[in-house]
DNA sequence: GCAAAAAGTTAGCTTAGGCTAACAATCAAG
DNA sequence: CTTGATTGTTAGCCTAAGCTAACTTTTTGC
């Protein structure tokens, strides 16, 4: 080490640390991306069950704005991942795990939406942005959003 | 129509409108998702050119936390889409369009980051969340974020 | 100026998430 | 109870974005 008694950190180490922090950010975002679709589906399925008594693929397709085969394939992945159960030609049920995820997602969605509205955003834009942002807020950010919305 | 003089809106129409609004939200989010990677790349490329004089694939790979072949393939798409130019075994350049996108992305990234920090978030989490959120904020939300950060 | 290291490319594989076309099952009217 | 409409499934296609293995090119250090 060339520093006097090693008291300072070399500039390239500072740089390396900054790079490393950002790599973690990118990796984290890619990770989050992998669950976005699942999160939106289970949240919607929970809502359909609550509102309509059941979650039919056709209603999922209508609300997600995708075609029926896309829904079928996605439901296959959700079942594989233990979030739903289903029988052929029947509507869909959430597993315990699916219900837990749905609840968490609805909670996050609501906080983000409430926060955006309390910032002064119009409802349509707020809904639109919340639908994307909800998948990328950490627990900490969510807590700050909730605080802010409560205080205003 | 069964309403007295058609003065009210039928509840199923209200419902239909709400469903339609959410479909638009989902479609919008899917749309945004399609440009996330491109946005992160051009932003990073601009930064590397600024800081190092050039953007080498190896540095892009290190900072994005992906392998060199992944970068190569992504750069192929960016070139196809007119955002960069490149020559074999050489580093990468932004087109006019690429520079414009990079500038816009850096701008958005900075506002979102500044906003999260001014909310009281720690820098690491702020960087992490900003990296994901930046792709899902509308112009309106961005303006509100900027206002908030300025005022605090 | 050459050899080894570093960087870049290519081929080929994987998964997710979209689509259409074709077919099968269920449901609702009559 | 039959039939037509609705709903669901399957097969097969596509693109994006990740990976490893193998190869080529460029850069660097002696
Ligand atoms: Mn969402
Ligand atoms: Mn949601
Ligand atoms: Mn980003
Ligand atoms: Mn960014």
């Amino acid at each position: 080490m060339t520093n006097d008694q090693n008291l300072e950190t070399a500039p390239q180490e500072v740089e390396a640390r900054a790079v490393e922090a950002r790599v973690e950010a990118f990796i984290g975002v890619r990770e989050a991306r992998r669950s976005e679709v699942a999160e939106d589906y289970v949240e919607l399925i929970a809502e359909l069950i609550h509102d309509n008594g059941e979650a039919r693929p056709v209603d999922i397709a209508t609300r997600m704005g995708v075609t029926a085969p896309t829904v079928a394939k996605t439901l296959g992945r959700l079942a594989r991942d233990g979030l739903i159960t289903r029988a052929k030609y029947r509507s869909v049920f959430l597993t315990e795990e699916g219900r837990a995820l749905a609840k968490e997602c609805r909670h996050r969605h609501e906080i983000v939406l409430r926060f955006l509205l309390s910032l002064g955003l119009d409802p349509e834009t707020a809904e639109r942005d919340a639908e994307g942002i909800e998948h990328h807020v950490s627990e900490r950010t969510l807590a700050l959003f909730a605080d802010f919305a409560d205080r205003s």
Side-chain angles (χ1 to χ4, degrees), chain A:
Chain A
M1 299 292 170
T2 61
N3 282 345
D4 318 2
Q5 300 180 326
N6 212 13
L7 287 177
E8 287 169 25
T9 316
Q12 77 271 20
E13 299 241 336
V14 175
E15 170 61 10
R17 217 169 300 270
V19 166
E20 195 36 52
R22 199 160 43 151
V23 170
E24 292 308 320
F26 279 128
I27 292 172
V29 172
R30 281 199 299 274
E31 176 84 24
R33 245 173 234 159
R34 293 216 317 271
S35 13
E36 283 187 45
V37 170
E39 287 177 2
D40 286 337
Y41 271 69
V42 297
E43 191 186 349
L44 176 58
I45 290 166
E47 187 191 310
L48 288 170
I49 290 174
H50 179 268
D51 293 356
N52 303 352
E54 64 176 344
R56 299 187 309 162
V58 67
D59 293 320
I60 298 173
T62 304
R63 277 152 182 90
M64 295 285 296
V66 297
T67 61
T70 295
V71 169
K73 201 178 278 189
T74 303
L75 293 179
R77 283 192 299 271
L78 298 183
R80 179 202 63 191
D81 297 343
L83 296 170
I84 64 169
T85 58
R86 60 201 202 116
K88 253 195 183 183
Y89 295 101
R90 292 271 101 94
S91 52
V92 175
F93 301 92
L94 291 169
T95 61
E96 201 52 58
E97 193 186 338
R99 264 190 298 276
L101 181 60
K103 189 175 171 185
E104 185 197 314
C105 290
R106 181 170 141 277
H107 182 239
R108 250 191 294 141
H109 190 113
E110 269 171 13
I111 289 177
V112 173
L113 182 60
R114 222 156 43 84
F115 170 76
L116 291 175
L117 290 171
S118 70
L119 253 189
L121 203 60
D122 65 285
E124 293 74 27
T125 312
E127 185 51 61
R128 160 71 176 71
D129 285 12
E131 201 57 76
I133 291 173
E134 60 175 354
H135 310 284
H136 298 278
V137 286
S138 59
E139 273 305 320
R140 283 182 187 184
T141 301
L142 200 65
L144 291 169
F145 279 14
D147 277 6
F148 181 90
D150 287 345
R151 282 185 215 301
S152 46

